[in-house]
Each structure stands twice: as C-alpha cells, then as structure tokens.
C-alpha cells in the first residue's frame, strides 16, 4: 500500500509543481480545468498501468506520466521552446532525485515502503515551502529574460537523460543499492549545475534591468541636456561643462567660440519658421562636421546662438576651423537656395582668467564682427 502511495505522491507533487511553475497561456477557469483534469487523468492512468495492467513502473512513468505531462503543459503553458524545456527537465529531475532518495532511505534504514513514503512526503513538503516564495521570481525570469535559455535547455535535456540512464542501466538502481552513493553524488552535481544555470539567468536579468535603467537615464539626459531641434547640447549642458572644465583644466588655455546666425529674423520673415529651423539644423550639421573631434563641446545656447569650447586649442587653429566652417556653410547655402551665414568671435583664456570671462570677450568679438561683417565673420551667401 505504501509503495503505491509513494509512487502516487511523487507523481502528484511533480504535477503540482508543474502547475505552479508554468504560467498558463490564458489564466481562465477553462484553462485551469483542462490543466487539473489532465493531471487527474495522468494520475489515474499511471495507477491503472502499474497496479492493474502490471506495467513496469519505469515504463509506466515514461508512458503515462512524463510524455503526457510534457504534452499537457506544453499546450497550456505561456512559454514555449527553451524556457519550457529547461523548466520541465529541472522539475522532473528534482522529482526523480527525491523519489530515489526516498526509496534508498527506506532500504538503508530498513523502513521499507513506509519509510520511503514519509521521506518522499517530507522532502517534497520542504521543497514546496522553500520554493514557493521563489516562484514569483522565476516567473519574472521567464517573462523578461530573452537570452541564455537555449544553451542551458540543451544542457538540461542531456543531464536529465543521463540521470535516467544511470538510474536504470544496466539494471534499476534500486536493485543495486551499493551504487546509490555514486548516483546521489552525480545527482548533487546535477542540482549544482541547475543552480548555476538559474544564477546565470538571474544575472542576465540583473544586467537587462541595468541596461533598461541606463536607457531611461540616457533618455532623461537627452531631455535635460540635448537640444531637440539641432541635436547639440543645450544651455544647461553648456553651463555644466564650463563648470567642469573650470575645475579640471589647471593652467591650460581654453579657446571659446561664440557664433550667431546672420539675418535669421529676415529668413524667418521671408521664408517662414520652418526655413529658420532648417537653417539652425544645417548650421548644427556644419558645426558637427568641422568640429568633429570635440562634438561634446558643441552647444546651442540660445535661439540662433551657438558656442564651441576648444580646450588646448591655439587661436590660429580656431581661425582655421572657422574658415573650414565658412566653406561648409557655402555648400549648405547653395543647396538650400537661401543665405546661411554665421558671425563668429573667439577668445582664449588668459592666465588667471575664467572660461566665462573668455566667453564674454568672445561674445563681444562676435557682435563686433557681426556688425562690421568682416574680420572673423563666417559667411555663406547664396
């Protein structure tokens, strides 16, 4: 009687864990009825096959338990493929190990079928009590982690069949209890492998959450520090970058460039605001192309005003870059069929002078050049 109870208990807990660990495709009363009804039919056929039809327990477990339960939960589970295979093999492996420990304990301590039944019942109860809180975490892994399941599922299937093979070949392990310690050692290694698998998936989830958090932070950073129209850094980023350079530059000179679009109001009035937006975008593209080595120091600080910070750049180099900018804007002006020009002024920090003071001088130079339309004015007229 207790031998029957032991077998039925193993299958019952196996199916119970399946029903808890697999999330249904649709969590409805109909799907739950199919699941519980299918589990009941599996239990019934196993009992009939072993105790009425005299089918060997190992064969009955495969025919009436493993295959039907696999098909049942495959059909009802939300997760398919590698996730399902890994989970199914893990649960069935644990049940197989618990069943063997129960039977081996019954032989070892001469408790027979009674001892095996109570050992199996105790072990499954402990597993459920310890693992119930972790089911929700595992459901999160199934739902959110996309990578890493395939290789682990393949390994899990190999381990699962190896464990069964060693348990039944050349004859059932229960008939050669002297080899049980070796088999249990192998089973312990198997469980350790599963622990590594699950820990790897948890780390993958942790990395995935970190990446998602970084993406959110990147999005917030773009909202706070990037100009939506031109893609350049905005005034808030400009102030922060100036303060950072002020703390870190030491005695190195910093070249500050101020730029302002010429005739911007007339372009808006004549061609419309969409044309003005286009001029700003083309001007920003030209700045990125010319100052490609220092794009983190390009800023749109006002409506049609831009600034560039060039750490360690001599005035001659700044003038050469502005000349290249003039040629770039000439091409843009010819392509767009409207005047696109920028007045520029630059100044390098003097000993003991702050970057902000240098920008004030550069701004004054820029407006002087803008008024005179000579010297360092960068023009590109259509």
């Amino acid at each position: 009687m207790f031998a029957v109870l032991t077998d039925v208990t193993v299958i019952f807990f196996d199916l119970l864990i399946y029903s808890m660990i697999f999330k249904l495709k649709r969590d409805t009363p109909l799907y739950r009825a199919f699941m519980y009804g299918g589990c009941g039919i599996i239990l019934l056929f196993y009992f009939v096959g072993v105790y009425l039809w005299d089918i060997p327990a190992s064969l009955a477990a495969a025919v009436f338990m493993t295959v039907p339960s696999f098909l049942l939960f495959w059909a009802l589970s939300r997760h398919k493929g590698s996730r399902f295979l890994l989970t199914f093999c893990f649960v069935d492996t644990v049940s197989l190990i618990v069943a063997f420990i129960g039977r081996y304990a019954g032989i070892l301590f001469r408790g027979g079928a009674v001892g095996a039944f109570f050992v199996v019942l105790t072990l499954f109860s402990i597993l459920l009590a310890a693992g119930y809180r972790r089911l929700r975490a595992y459901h999160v892994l199934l739902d959110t982690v996309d990578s890493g399941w395939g290789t682990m599922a393949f390994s899990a299937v190999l381990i699962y069949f190896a464990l069964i093979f060693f348990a039944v070949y050349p004859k059932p392990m229960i008939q050669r209890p002297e080899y049980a310690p070796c088999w249990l050692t192998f089973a312990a290694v198997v469980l350790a492998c599963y622990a590594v698998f699950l820990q790897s998936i948890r780390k993958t989830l942790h990395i995935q959450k970190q990446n998602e958090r970084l993406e959110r932070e990147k999005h917030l950073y773009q909202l706070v520090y990037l100009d939506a129209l031109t893609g350049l850094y905005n005034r808030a980023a400009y102030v922060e970058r100036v303060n950072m350079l002020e703390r870190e530059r030491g005695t190195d000179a910093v070249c500050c460039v101020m730029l302002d679009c010429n005739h911007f109001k007339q372009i808006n009035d004549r061609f419309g605001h969409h044309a003005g937006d286009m001029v700003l975008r083309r001007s920003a593209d030209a700045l990125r192309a010319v100052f490609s080595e220092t794009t983190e120091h390009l800023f749109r600080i006002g409506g049609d005003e831009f600034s560039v910070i060039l750490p360690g750049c001599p005035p001659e180099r700044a003038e050469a870059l502005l000349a290249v900018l003039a040629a770039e804007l000439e091409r843009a002006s010819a392509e767009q069929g409207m005047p696109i020009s920028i007045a520029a002024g630059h100044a390098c920090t003097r000993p003991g002078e702050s970057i902000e003071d240098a920008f004030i001088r550069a701004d004054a130079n820029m407006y002087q050049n803008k008024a005179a339309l000579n010297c360092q004015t960068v023009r590109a007229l259509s």
Side-chain angles (χ1 to χ4, degrees):
M1 173 183 172
F2 278 97
V4 177
L5 283 176
T6 301
D7 289 344
V8 172
T9 300
V10 171
I11 295 176
F12 172 79
F13 276 103
D14 204 21
L15 294 171
L16 178 61
I17 296 172
Y18 285 144
S19 67
M20 296 170 64
I21 203 168
F22 287 118
K23 298 184 74 174
L24 294 177
K25 190 185 304 181
R26 296 178 183 174
D27 194 5
T28 62
L30 179 61
Y31 268 71
R32 290 196 170 276
F34 276 125
M35 180 178 68
Y36 294 132
C39 291
I41 293 172
I42 289 171
L43 273 171
L44 177 62
F45 270 87
Y46 178 83
F47 180 84
V48 171
V50 173
Y51 300 103
L52 295 183
W53 297 342
D54 293 326
I55 298 175
S58 58
L59 179 60
V63 174
F64 298 122
M65 166 57 191
T66 303
V67 174
S69 61
F70 181 92
L71 296 176
L72 173 66
F73 287 98
W74 177 275
L76 298 179
S77 175
R78 179 189 305 175
H79 304 101
K80 300 291 192 295
S82 301
R83 305 179 198 203
F84 180 87
L85 283 175
L86 176 63
T87 306
F88 184 88
C89 290
F90 171 67
V91 174
D92 218 31
T93 298
V94 171
S95 298
L96 179 65
I97 293 172
V98 170
F100 180 81
I101 291 175
R103 291 187 175 91
Y104 183 65
I107 295 173
L108 188 64
F109 299 106
R110 302 184 184 280
V114 177
F117 168 74
F118 283 106
V119 169
V120 167
L121 185 62
T122 302
L123 289 176
F124 272 119
S125 299
I126 293 172
L127 283 174
L128 282 179
Y132 183 76
R133 294 182 179 179
R134 292 174 173 82
L135 285 177
R136 184 181 297 273
Y138 190 72
H139 288 160
V140 173
L141 294 178
L142 289 172
D143 287 334
T144 57
V145 177
D146 297 324
S147 60
W149 295 97
T151 303
M152 287 185 285
F154 178 75
S155 301
V157 172
L158 290 181
I159 291 172
Y160 173 68
F161 283 106
L163 199 65
I164 295 175
F165 177 79
F166 294 140
V168 300
Y169 183 83
K171 58 183 179 179
M173 185 66 68
I174 205 68
Q175 298 177 15
R176 44 193 176 109
E178 66 274 12
Y179 291 102
C182 297
W183 191 87
L184 288 174
T185 302
F186 176 66
V189 173
V190 168
L191 293 179
C193 290
Y194 277 116
V196 172
F197 291 165
L198 295 177
Q199 185 64 23
S200 174
I201 295 175
R202 289 182 62 186
K203 287 186 177 181
T204 302
L205 176 62
H206 180 67
I207 293 172
Q208 184 172 311
K209 287 183 176 179
Q210 282 186 323
N211 290 337
E212 291 174 355
R213 184 167 61 250
L214 288 173
E215 285 297 321
R216 289 194 298 269
E217 290 175 358
K218 179 181 177 181
H219 179 65
L220 290 175
Y221 180 86
Q222 291 175 342
L223 290 177
V224 174
Y225 290 113
L226 286 185
D227 175 57
L229 178 63
T230 64
L232 300 180
Y233 289 104
N234 59 18
R235 189 174 189 86
Y238 161 80
V239 172
E240 187 170 303
R241 193 63 54 86
V242 166
N243 291 335
M244 183 191 72
L245 288 173
E246 199 70 74
R247 293 191 300 269
E248 298 177 355
R249 71 185 177 97
T251 58
D252 295 337
V254 175
C255 187
C256 305
V257 182
M258 292 292 294
L259 307 107
D260 187 272
C261 292
N262 288 322
H263 315 298
F264 187 68
K265 184 178 183 303
Q266 289 85 343
I267 291 174
N268 275 329
D269 293 342
R270 180 179 174 184
F271 298 101
H273 288 283
H274 69 282
D277 290 344
M278 181 275 300
V279 168
L280 293 175
R281 284 194 294 267
R282 293 305 300 264
S283 299
D285 292 340
L287 286 170
R288 272 189 289 265
V290 174
F291 298 95
S292 58
E293 296 180 359
T294 181
T295 53
E296 71 275 13
H297 292 149
L298 302 178
F299 308 91
R300 180 191 176 197
I301 58 175
D304 61 341
E305 294 182 337
F306 301 90
S307 68
V308 183
I309 303 175
L310 301 171
C313 179
E316 297 79 9
R317 174 62 177 162
E319 291 175 3
L321 289 172
L322 291 175
V324 177
L325 179 63
E328 190 72 25
L329 288 173
E330 285 180 2
R331 285 192 291 271
S333 180
E335 291 173 2
Q336 299 299 324
M338 66 178 65
I340 303 175
S341 63
I342 292 182
H346 67 84
C348 293
T349 55
R350 299 164 178 166
E353 184 183 37
S354 69
I355 296 175
E356 192 60 40
D357 287 339
F359 263 116
I360 292 174
R361 290 193 293 112
D363 193 52
N365 291 336
M366 182 269 293
Y367 276 108
Q368 182 180 356
N369 294 334
K370 188 179 183 70
L373 293 178
N374 56 20
C375 292
Q376 298 175 32
T377 303
V378 180
R379 294 178 295 175
L381 301 178
S382 61

